[in-house]
Amino acid sequence: MTDSAATKLPTSIQGEQQQESGWIRASDSDVDLYVDRVSDDVLTCRERGRHLFPTIRQAGIHFTGVDDDGLLIRRLTCTCCELAVKVEKWEGARRPGRSTRFQRVASQLEYRTGPDGETYLAPSGRGHMTPRQIGDSVASKALAGQSVAALRKAAARAGAKEKQ
């Protein structure tokens, strides 16, 4: 066994998948910089890990175009961050003796730039930011300047008060 083989640690299954896909997690400092520059609405979607699009019952179903394949196009904007647009493609088929049936056949997200230049996606080349990393950064900023010991004491007091 060579020295380099002895010092090389085995890669986890997750690490092997990341090497194959090129998916790399963003550093804490990159996440903190991102959290500092985006709005609370964007952070809400990022921390939640999904966007809030209106349902058909809420927004109705209106089509804004037809693609080259004859599919109807419907566009929905996230009601929270307003920077994500879900583009759906629908087809309608008339069946003999039945009413027309509509089906969504494709859906994809598009991201727009806000009026003040804000973007939902983090800068390219910084790695993937998970909802957990976003939440950890927001919590760390909210608790900045407080000691862990003081937080533990306050939490213990709150827990004791709840038991009473």
Side-chain angles (χ1 to χ4, degrees):
M1 186 187 256
T2 64
D3 287 336
S4 62
T7 59
K8 185 176 179 186
L9 297 174
T11 306
S12 67
I13 292 171
Q14 182 181 7
E16 289 174 4
Q17 290 171 343
Q18 288 179 356
Q19 286 175 348
E20 290 172 13
S21 67
W23 189 92
I24 296 178
R25 190 179 197 143
S27 70
D28 289 345
S29 60
D30 283 336
V31 175
D32 289 344
L33 288 171
Y34 174 81
V35 165
D36 286 341
R37 74 170 180 80
V38 297
S39 68
D40 288 345
D41 294 333
V42 170
L43 289 177
T44 299
C45 287
R46 293 298 301 249
E47 192 173 348
R48 183 186 306 119
R50 65 187 203 81
H51 295 286
L52 293 179
F53 296 107
T55 66
I56 293 170
R57 287 194 178 201
Q58 291 171 327
I61 186 156
H62 308 283
F63 300 106
T64 59
V66 179
D67 74 359
D68 294 340
D69 296 322
L71 298 173
L72 299 162
I73 298 172
R74 178 175 185 239
R75 299 174 72 81
L76 298 163
T77 301
C78 174
T79 57
C80 185
C81 71
E82 298 182 349
L83 296 178
V85 179
K86 181 166 53 167
V87 181
E88 300 176 339
K89 294 186 179 185
W90 290 75
E91 82 179 340
R94 177 89 176 149
R95 303 209 168 92
R98 298 172 132 182
S99 62
T100 304
R101 184 78 178 170
F102 290 89
Q103 295 179 359
R104 181 177 38 231
V105 296
S107 179
Q108 69 181 38
L109 279 178
E110 293 178 357
Y111 292 100
R112 61 169 75 150
T113 301
D116 58 349
E118 181 178 40
T119 59
Y120 181 82
L121 297 175
S124 181
R126 300 287 186 185
H128 181 78
M129 293 181 190
T130 66
R132 182 180 207 151
Q133 284 179 293
I134 298 290
D136 291 351
S137 177
V138 172
S140 296
K141 289 176 183 307
L143 297 170
Q146 299 184 46
S147 76
V148 176
L151 289 169
R152 281 193 182 115
K153 286 179 185 176
R157 281 193 300 271
K161 212 178 224 185
E162 275 186 22
K163 289 180 182 178
Q164 291 179 354

